[in-house]
Amino acid sequence: MPPLALTLGEPAGIGPDLTLQAWAQRFALKLPPFLTIGDPGVFQGRARALGLDVAVEPATPDSAAAMFPHALPVLATGHPVTAAPGRPDASSAPAARAAIEAAVALVRAGRARAVVTNPIAKSVMYQAGFAFPGHTEFLAALAADGGPAPGKPPRAVMMIWSAVLAVVPVTIHIPLAEVPRRLTRDLIVETATITARDLAARFGIARPRLAIAGLNPHAGEAGTLGREDEDIVRPAVAALRAAGIDARGPLPADTLFHPAARATYDVVLGMYHDQVLAPAKALAFDTAVNVTLGLPFVRTSPDHGTAFELAGTGHASPSSLIAALRLAHRLATPSP
Ligand SMILES: NC(=O)C1=CN([C@@H]2O[C@H](COP(=O)(O)OP(=O)(O)OC[C@H]3O[C@@H](n4cnc5c(N)ncnc54)[C@H](O)[C@@H]3O)[C@@H](O)[C@H]2O)C=CC1
Ligand SMILES: NCC(=O)COP(=O)(O)O
């Protein structure tokens, strides 16, 4: 069976630590084999810093699974890394980018089963000319290149998934001040449609129940606390229902996340990033996984970022990365 492809991420962050820690628990946790993509020297150096006895071996997609029990298989991209733990350096951004590109190429060629990404530092990538808000949009562009519809990237949707809560931000990495202007009926409908489709096709939820949060306090209080909920969100929900999708809203976001409310839906669509990522991380920081919907391949990632202050200290928890590896394995495994 081909391995999962796990990217380097930001080399000055905790990604290398988590990768080594996850591999060290491969037997205890019965982890699926993964091929790490990046500079092998980063993983050798971080293993020394952490006092972990990990053999780091050059590997290919074909050799990774057999090697995985006794060594961390690493596919070198040839991009050197200069950043030290906790001290990001934009000159390493090409290595982070190359690992993502290589992982996608392997999955698209059938040589890896899914892409699992370690966190990147967006500001560091931007300094190096990275023109995408994050992985989500970059992966959509990579999915289009040479694919069935070259030049027309699929719409990629971010979902933070855990056993207790799944959330989707309709707008993602944009300034809060821009949210009302960028929020449209069509954007909500498209995001919800992709979410419903992938929850059914990939997560096995036959008829997903979507709770659509309002933008304003009390979902706009009948238009008296902002018009967006009446003028944009409500028509979007009506269009979704007309299309046969089980959507409800606009719902006041402040009362959407208590246990009784959570029992009434499979996923919440929020209008902006922190509206839904904050409750998701409050409830399940250690186990939540970032899953990209709408792509022609499976991609997962931990729910957290680079945590520079923890890099090389041994205090970072690998649990979200482990959950991401497990979910990627599950989603990439055809159901019997
Ligand atoms: N998928 C990705 O590539 C993501 C990347 N980021 C990037 O990460 C960078 C730092 O972002 P922050 O907002 O500081 O978020 P962060 O998630 O890196 O850190 C937030 C807090 O959580 C702690 N933390 C994070 N991961 C942890 C772990 N595995 N174990 C224990 N504690 C952990 C940190 O020490 C910090 O106190 C930013 O440049 C951002 O762009 C953030 C989220 C996702
Ligand atoms: N806050 C989530 C995040 O930053 C992850 O974004 P992406 O890199 O997966 O697009």
Side-chain angles (χ1 to χ4, degrees), residues 119-222:
I120 52 172
K122 293 171 176 55
S123 55
V124 176
M125 299 296 284
Y126 300 159
Q127 280 172 43
F130 187 68
F132 302 89
H135 285 102
T136 304
E137 299 80 2
F138 185 40
L139 292 165
L142 292 176
D145 284 348
K152 185 177 181 302
R155 170 80 203 296
V157 168
M158 177 187 291
M159 179 168 77
I160 307 295
W161 179 90
S162 75
V164 292
L165 178 65
V167 299
V168 166
V170 171
T171 63
I172 308 180
H173 291 124
I174 60 171
L176 193 54
E178 280 185 29
V179 168
R181 191 170 57 75
R182 300 270 285 272
L183 204 57
T184 63
R185 171 188 170 282
D186 288 353
L187 182 68
I188 297 169
V189 169
E190 187 183 48
T191 306
T193 303
I194 292 166
T195 303
R197 187 192 64 205
D198 275 18
L199 282 181
R202 293 193 163 163
F203 286 76
I205 303 173
R207 187 167 153 73
R209 298 163 300 163
L210 276 54
I212 317 282
L215 173 69
N216 296 293
H218 308 177
E221 191 86 32

Side-chain angles (χ1 to χ4, degrees), residues 14 18 117-123 135 281 285 290 299 301-310 315-318:
I14 57 174
L18 307 180
T117 58
N118 267 306
I120 52 172
K122 293 171 176 55
S123 55
H135 285 102
K281 293 187 184 188
F285 189 59
N290 176 353
R299 178 266 176 154
S301 182
D303 64 345
H304 56 72
T306 50
F308 287 119
E309 69 281 9
L310 299 181
H315 295 304
S317 164

Side-chain angles (χ1 to χ4, degrees), residues 52-124:
L52 288 175
D53 182 18
V54 177
V56 175
E57 297 287 345
T60 65
D62 299 332
S63 65
M67 181 182 293
F68 191 73
H70 56 89
L72 176 73
V74 181
L75 178 67
T77 59
H79 291 74
V81 165
T82 52
R87 302 217 320 269
D89 168 351
S91 66
S92 298
R97 178 187 181 125
I100 301 166
E101 290 170 335
V104 171
L106 289 178
V107 172
R108 292 187 63 183
R111 303 189 70 202
R113 300 170 60 223
V115 176
V116 183
T117 58
N118 267 306
I120 52 172
K122 293 171 176 55
S123 55
V124 176

